[in-house]
Amino acid sequence: MTVIFRPLEDRDIDAVIDLWTACGLVRPWNDPYKDILFARGEACSDILVGEIEGCIAASVMVGHDGHRGVVYYVSVAPEQQGKGLGRDVMAAAEGWLKARGVWKLNLLVRAENDKVRGFYESLGYEVEPRLCMARKLVDPAGEGDA
Ligand SMILES: CC(C)(COP(=O)(O)OP(=O)(O)OC[C@H]1O[C@@H](n2cnc3c(N)ncnc32)[C@H](O)[C@@H]1OP(=O)(O)O)[C@@H](O)C(=O)NCCC(=O)NCCS
């Protein structure tokens, strides 16, 4: 089984949204299509897909803010999980960041998805004592400030 990682192309968009949905990563307040258009192919962000025999089996949104790297939508197709593809997709994201001089990756895990903590720990990630704070800058339902 050979997996090839490459940046997302237009023809992959529907398959990637299906993958994220199958992996339980899509939330009603996050439009995945909008997220893809915003992140793909930029100097500081991209979406990588892992292809096996023409099918999208894994993907990750990767980027940096000029200081730290970050990943979102880390996903492996349910029928392909447990075969090392999760490790491979994270290696692809880390490679993307290292190629741009980024030396540390921070990632967020939703509280209800604590079961993936073991996955990241097996890849060398550690829980750091940080408080994550956020504020919406734009009203997601329309125009203008939140
Ligand atoms: C998390 C996810 C990407 C892992 O992909 P995967 O292909 O199953 O993972 P791998 O087979 O590459 O596993 C890599 C290592 O992590 C370990 N691992 C995987 N899932 C684990 C878990 N839930 N708990 C503990 N360890 C786990 C594996 O045993 C393996 O360890 P090893 O290499 O030392 O044997 C995949 O399960 C997934 O897409 N989940 C749904 C989406 C999701 O929750 N994404 C993360 C959002 S923060």
Side-chain angles (χ1 to χ4, degrees):
M1 181 181 77
T2 305
V3 58
I4 296 167
F5 287 96
R6 58 171 176 77
L8 169 141
E9 298 175 10
D10 284 346
R11 62 189 165 95
D12 306 316
I13 290 176
D14 288 345
V16 165
I17 293 175
D18 287 348
L19 170 64
W20 293 355
T21 303
C23 285
L25 297 176
V26 175
R27 295 291 182 275
W29 54 90
N30 290 331
D31 177 349
Y33 189 74
K34 185 177 167 189
D35 287 351
I36 288 170
L37 295 186
F38 191 67
R40 66 173 294 192
E42 297 292 334
C44 294
S45 64
D46 209 345
I47 296 161
L48 308 180
V49 297
E51 196 176 39
I52 299 175
E53 295 174 351
C55 293
I56 304 298
S59 86
V60 58
M61 178 185 288
V62 59
H64 72 83
D65 58 12
H67 183 52
R68 299 297 188 222
V70 67
V71 290
Y72 296 97
Y73 292 111
V74 176
S75 47
V76 171
E79 68 276 11
Q80 297 284 3
Q81 291 176 10
K83 302 176 187 173
L85 275 180
R87 184 179 286 278
D88 292 344
V89 77
M90 284 300 295
E94 291 168 2
W96 189 97
L97 290 166
K98 283 194 272 190
R100 288 157 180 81
V102 181
W103 61 95
K104 186 175 181 188
L105 195 166
N106 293 335
L107 59 86
L108 297 170
V109 175
R110 289 181 187 281
E112 70 269 21
N113 199 14
D114 191 53
K115 63 181 188 297
V116 298
R117 180 170 161 175
F119 164 69
Y120 290 116
E121 284 175 340
S122 74
L123 271 54
Y125 288 80
E126 297 174 342
V127 176
E128 292 188 334
R130 304 284 188 272
L131 188 63
C132 175
M133 299 181 71
R135 185 173 91 83
K136 290 191 171 59
L137 303 180
V138 176
D139 177 2
E143 303 298 322
D145 292 344

